[in-house]
Amino acid sequence: MGSGDVESAGDRNEPGSAVPAGELAGGRAQPKTDKSEATRALILETAMRMFQERGYEKTTMRAIAAEAGVSVGNAYYYFSAKEFLIQGFYDRMTYDHAADARARMAGVKDFSQRLEIALVSWLDTAAPYHEFSAQFFRTAADPTSSLSPFSNESHPARATAVELFRDVLQGSELAPKLDAELVELLPDVLWLHLMVVVLYWVFDRTEDTERTREFVRRSTPMAARVINLSRYRIFRPIVRDAKGLIQDFILPTIGKTAVKQPPAS
Amino acid sequence: MGSGDVESAGDRNEPGSAVPAGELAGGRAQPKTDKSEATRALILETAMRMFQERGYEKTTMRAIAAEAGVSVGNAYYYFSAKEFLIQGFYDRMTYDHAADARARMAGVKDFSQRLEIALVSWLDTAAPYHEFSAQFFRTAADPTSSLSPFSNESHPARATAVELFRDVLQGSELAPKLDAELVELLPDVLWLHLMVVVLYWVFDRTEDTERTREFVRRSTPMAARVINLSRYRIFRPIVRDAKGLIQDFILPTIGKTAVKQPPAS
DNA sequence: GAACAGTTTTGAACGCGTTCGAAATTGTCT
DNA sequence: AGACAATTTCGAACGCGTTCAAAACTGTTC
C-alpha cells in the first residue's frame, strides 16, 4: 500500500496562530515512560466507556477525570481537547470493521454480495454507537477539525478502510474487460459509498437503523450494475468524465497524492 | 420517517429534558408587539454583522447583546440558542441565491449552462461567508439540530432552492423523450448536487474557492450528459433503479410530502 | 545523599453558552 | 384612573471546556 508522503498541511487550524506544529496529531508527542502510557490509556478507556454509557455531551471532562482518578488538567495533558478522545474510538472502530468484514466475506465471490457484506458489517460494528454518533458526527463535519474523515489525521483509518474495499474487489469475480484505470479508482469510490451510507445512517431514526440497511440492500446491486455496464461503448465518454472527476477532484481532497499514471496512448 | 406525522423530535435534544415542545422552531412562538419584533430584528442583524466581522465562535452572546444594547437574557428570550441566530442567515442567503441565479439565467436556454449558472451563483452569494462557513457547517451537520439542511425547520429554504432547480429545468430545451417521472425527480436531485458542491466548498481552501468552481465547471456538463443518455435503452434498468432509490430513500429523508405548487409569486 | 532538568500532575481560575427568578414594562378590562 | 395578567427585560449564577502557573514526581549526574 505504501505510496508516498502526505502533504504536511499543518497550519489549517483556526484557533491558534502560534501552534507549535509539533503535536497536532492527538494529544501528545511521545510517550516518555510506561506509566505515562498507562495513564493515557486509562483516560482513553474511561472516556470511551463513559461515552457509550451516557453519550458524548453528557460525559464531562471533569467526570472522566474523576472516574479515571486523575485531575482534569492531567486529562488535558494527554488529550489537548475533548474531541481528541474520539479519535481513538474512530480508529478502533475502523479496525474492528475491517476485521469483521473480511471474516464475513470469506468464500463469497460475488462482488455485489461482498460489497453489501462490507457495508452491513460497518452498520453492525457501529450499531452500539448510533445513539451518540450524531454528537461526534457534528465534530467530524468540521473541516478544520482533525476528526474530519478527510483530514490528514484520519489518513491511517481511511487507508485501512480503502484497503478493505480493495479486498472486496480483489476477491470478486468481476467481469473481465473492465477499464483497468477505473478499477484502480474503485476502492476509493466505494469508500465514498460507505461515507454516504454513514451519512444516511447518522440521520436514520428508524428501529435498528432498518432504513439504512434497506438502503444498502438496494444500492449495492445498483452499484454493481453500474460498474458492470461501464464496459459498454456508449458509456465510454461518461466513464472518462467520471474518471477525470474522481482523479482531479475527489482523490486529492481525501489526501491521495496523485499516483496517477500518465495516460498512455 | 416518510409517512404521516413528523414526530415532534423534541426530546432528541441533548441538553434539556423538559423542553416545552412548543417553540422549537427558532426562538419564539409569535411576535406579540411591534417593539418585540424590532428587538428581535435588532439582535439578529447585530449578530449577523458580527458573525461576518469576527466569525461565529469568536462572537459571543455577551458581545452580541452588548452591541445590540440589550441583556444576554433578552437575546435568549428571542433566540433560545446561539445556533438559531444562524437560521435567519441561512434563509436569507437561500433567498438571495435564488434571486441572483434567476437573474443570471435569463435568456440562457442550454440546460448545462443554466445549471452551472445556478451553482456558480450560489458560490458567489456564499463567498463572503466562506471563512466562517466551517464553523456553522459543523452545527448544520448535527442531525438533531434544526439547522441541518434535512431538518423540518429548513424546509422552507430547501423548498425555495428546489424550486429554483425546477426553474433551471423548465427554462431549458431538454431532449424530448426523457422519462417524465425522472424529470419530475430532477429538481431534488439537482438540489442534492448543490449540497455536494456545498460540501466540497466548505472543505475547499484554495484561493477564491477556485477548486470548487472548477469542480462545478466539470461536473455540470457531465450531469447534463448523464441525463441526456438516460433515454437510451441500456440505461433503462439503471434509470429505474435510480428512480426507485431516490423515491424510496432520498425524498422521504429530505421531508418530501408530495406537495407541489405552481410557481406563483 | 544533593542538585538539577525534564516530565507528569494538580486544581483554581477564565470565558463561554445557557438558565432562571425576579423586576420592569406593556396591554386589557372595568 | 386603578388592578391585574401577560409580555419583555434584566443580570447574577451554573456547568461546561479549557488554560496555566505551580507543585510533585522521575531520572540523571556528581
Side-chain angles (χ1 to χ4, degrees):
Chain A
M1 55 170 89
S3 80
D5 40 16
V6 184
E7 70 168 341
S8 76
D11 43 12
R12 293 273 157 69
N13 274 357
E14 247 315 286
S17 45
V19 186
E23 42 164 76
L24 279 168
R28 295 264 6 284
Q30 262 122 341
K32 303 291 179 181
T33 77
D34 279 0
K35 181 157 169 271
S36 173
E37 189 59 22
T39 308
R40 186 194 157 88
L42 172 65
I43 294 170
L44 183 61
E45 293 298 325
T46 307
M48 291 183 11
R49 178 164 48 78
M50 293 180 78
F51 286 162
Q52 278 178 66
E53 286 169 11
R54 315 183 206 176
Y56 180 68
E57 311 252 285
K58 278 181 182 160
T59 305
T60 70
M61 290 298 284
R62 282 168 180 81
I64 294 171
E67 182 89 0
V70 299
S71 68
V72 234
N74 200 11
Y76 274 92
Y77 179 70
Y78 289 103
F79 301 93
S80 51
K82 193 183 178 187
E83 56 168 311
F84 286 119
L85 285 166
I86 306 179
Q87 188 88 44
F89 204 76
Y90 190 75
D91 293 344
R92 204 215 285 183
M93 215 182 70
T94 303
Y95 181 82
D96 289 351
H97 166 226
D100 179 68
R102 284 201 172 85
R104 294 196 199 183
M105 286 189 309
V108 181
K109 296 290 182 192
D110 179 61
F111 166 68
S112 173
Q113 277 179 44
R114 288 175 70 85
L115 179 57
E116 182 176 332
I117 288 172
L119 296 176
V120 168
S121 163
W122 189 91
L123 293 178
D124 290 339
T125 307
Y129 317 120
H130 183 250
E131 253 188 274
F132 71 101
S133 66
Q135 289 171 338
F136 80 57
F137 180 71
R138 180 191 172 114
T139 299
D142 185 344
T144 68
S145 161
S146 67
L147 273 146
S148 148
F150 306 118
S151 80
N152 292 314
E153 284 80 358
S154 302
H155 190 271
R158 196 169 54 234
T160 302
V162 170
E163 206 51 39
L164 171 66
F165 285 110
R166 195 179 303 280
D167 272 19
V168 168
L169 279 164
Q170 282 181 345
S172 322
E173 295 154 339
L174 283 178
K177 301 215 290 186
L178 278 183
D179 182 318
E181 271 181 42
L182 179 66
V183 172
E184 197 48 44
L185 297 175
L186 277 180
D188 289 286
V189 174
L190 294 179
W191 175 79
L192 269 185
H193 187 175
L194 173 62
M195 290 301 103
V196 171
V197 170
V198 171
L199 180 68
Y200 202 91
W201 176 82
V202 169
F203 282 81
D204 189 355
R205 288 282 172 272
T206 61
E207 184 81 14
D208 198 28
T209 63
E210 192 46 54
R211 189 159 201 87
T212 305
R213 290 171 186 280
E214 204 169 325
F215 178 55
V216 167
R217 278 196 290 276
R218 287 270 292 272
S219 64
T220 29
M222 193 180 153
R225 198 179 303 193
V226 169
I227 293 171
N228 235 322
L229 283 183
S230 74
R231 292 171 299 168
Y232 292 93
R233 182 165 286 124
I234 337 164
F235 278 83
R236 203 172 290 168
I238 284 195
V239 168
R240 218 182 33 184
D241 281 4
K243 272 168 25 183
L245 219 58
I246 294 165
Q247 275 177 333
D248 297 346
F249 293 97
I250 312 287
L251 297 196
T253 302
I254 62 178
K256 210 81 175 186
T257 29
V259 202
K260 180 166 56 171
Q261 335 273 22
S265 81
Chain B
M1 61 173 80
S3 59
D5 46 13
V6 184
E7 69 173 336
S8 73
D11 44 7
R12 291 279 155 66
N13 276 356
E14 262 300 305
S17 47
V19 185
E23 43 165 76
L24 278 170
R28 296 258 13 280
Q30 265 122 342
K32 302 291 181 185
T33 76
D34 279 0
K35 180 157 172 273
S36 173
E37 189 58 22
T39 308
R40 185 194 158 86
L42 171 65
I43 294 169
L44 184 60
E45 294 297 325
T46 307
M48 291 184 11
R49 178 163 48 79
M50 293 180 78
F51 285 162
Q52 278 179 67
E53 287 170 8
R54 315 184 206 176
Y56 180 69
E57 311 253 283
K58 280 182 183 158
T59 306
T60 71
M61 289 300 281
R62 282 168 180 81
I64 294 171
E67 181 89 0
V70 301
S71 69
V72 232
N74 199 12
Y76 274 92
Y77 179 71
Y78 289 103
F79 300 92
S80 50
K82 193 184 178 187
E83 54 168 315
F84 286 120
L85 285 166
I86 306 180
Q87 188 87 45
F89 205 75
Y90 190 76
D91 293 344
R92 204 215 284 184
M93 215 183 70
T94 303
Y95 181 82
D96 289 351
H97 166 226
D100 179 67
R102 285 200 172 87
R104 293 196 199 185
M105 287 190 307
V108 181
K109 296 290 181 193
D110 179 61
F111 167 68
S112 173
Q113 277 180 43
R114 287 175 71 86
L115 179 57
E116 183 177 331
I117 287 171
L119 296 176
V120 169
S121 163
W122 189 92
L123 292 178
D124 291 339
T125 307
Y129 317 121
H130 182 251
E131 253 188 276
F132 70 101
S133 66
Q135 289 171 340
F136 79 58
F137 180 70
R138 180 190 173 115
T139 300
D142 184 346
T144 68
S145 161
S146 66
L147 273 145
S148 147
F150 307 118
S151 80
N152 294 312
E153 285 80 358
S154 302
H155 190 272
R158 197 169 54 234
T160 302
V162 170
E163 205 52 39
L164 171 66
F165 285 110
R166 195 178 302 280
D167 273 17
V168 168
L169 279 163
Q170 283 181 345
S172 323
E173 295 152 338
L174 283 178
K177 302 214 287 187
L178 277 184
D179 183 316
E181 271 180 43
L182 179 67
V183 172
E184 197 49 43
L185 297 176
L186 277 180
D188 288 287
V189 174
L190 295 179
W191 175 80
L192 269 185
H193 187 174
L194 173 61
M195 289 302 102
V196 171
V197 170
V198 170
L199 180 68
Y200 202 91
W201 176 82
V202 169
F203 282 80
D204 189 355
R205 289 282 172 273
T206 61
E207 184 80 15
D208 198 29
T209 63
E210 191 47 52
R211 187 157 202 86
T212 305
R213 291 171 187 278
E214 203 169 325
F215 178 55
V216 167
R217 279 195 291 275
R218 288 271 292 269
S219 65
T220 30
M222 192 179 153
R225 198 180 304 193
V226 168
I227 292 172
N228 235 323
L229 283 183
S230 75
R231 292 170 299 169
Y232 292 92
R233 182 165 287 128
I234 336 162
F235 278 84
R236 204 173 288 170
I238 285 196
V239 168
R240 215 181 36 183
D241 281 4
K243 272 168 24 184
L245 220 58
I246 294 164
Q247 274 175 333
D248 296 346
F249 294 96
I250 312 287
L251 297 195
T253 301
I254 62 178
K256 209 69 184 192
T257 35
V259 182
K260 199 181 310 168
Q261 41 199 13
S265 78

